[in-house]
Amino acid sequence: MAMVKPCSRYTPRGDCPPLPAGQELDYSLNSPLEPNAPLCKHTVPYSTPVETWTAGQQVTVKFDSVNGAAHGGGHAQFSVSYDGGKTFAVVHEVLKHIFFNGPSSSNTPEVLSYTFKLPSDLPSSKKVVFAWSWVNAIGNREFYMNCADVEIKGTSSSYSGKQMVVANINGYPTIPAFNGNYDTGLDMYKNAKNVTVKPTG
């Protein structure tokens, strides 16, 4: 599974800005992060935002499943970073059944688009990293993450929200296979500490 709207960094699909110098298109964005990969996988941003959003507005995030698998759903978050991808605060969650309308053992997704309202207290920045992250319900224990470079217009000086959950890669906890129990790992999401993000300059 891969996020295609907003345009993920280095995706070969979608109407995206030119690649940063020295970078190449990534034809495996639907794959999980490697165990030692940095968050976002690609750390060099596009030179211009791929979307401009306003705090409090409705946004739609779209996915495609080309050469991907939905692994029976699982827990997903949508988060923002204002420090280049070091600290992520959650703005929306789809827990248990991402890509499905309920429990499933399928690799074929039922849902490929999510619309939600951004928090009204997001601050302004032309260099926001917007992330989708996912812990799959079925299969090898993996962590998926795509990032997009967006501009957000807002009036707040900072935003506080739950810290994005990272799991199943080196240095982070493992969330086991759900085996039909979609509450697996939920305590990590519900008990995540709050973090504050703000523009850094």
Side-chain angles (χ1 to χ4, degrees), residues 112-133:
L112 288 171
S113 178
Y114 288 91
T115 298
F116 55 89
K117 187 177 181 180
L118 292 174
S120 59
D121 53 345
L122 292 175
S124 288
S125 175
K126 293 183 178 180
K127 297 182 178 180
V128 179
V129 183
F130 175 79
W132 159 72
S133 56

Side-chain angles (χ1 to χ4, degrees), residues 9-10 16-21 44-50 126-127 149-150:
R9 286 178 181 170
Y10 311 175
C16 306
L19 285 173
V44 179
Y46 283 121
S47 59
T48 57
V50 301
K126 293 183 178 180
K127 297 182 178 180
D149 299 296
V150 304

Side-chain angles (χ1 to χ4, degrees), residues 5 9 16-17 21-22 38 41 57 64 66 71 78 84-85 96 107 119 121-122 125 132 147-148 166 176 187-188:
K5 180 180 173 58
R9 286 178 181 170
C16 306
K41 185 179 182 180
Q57 82 167 77
D64 78 19
V66 176
H71 294 296
F78 302 90
K96 300 186 179 184
N107 271 331
D121 53 345
L122 292 175
S125 175
W132 159 72
C147 292
V166 182
D187 55 332
M188 289 181 59

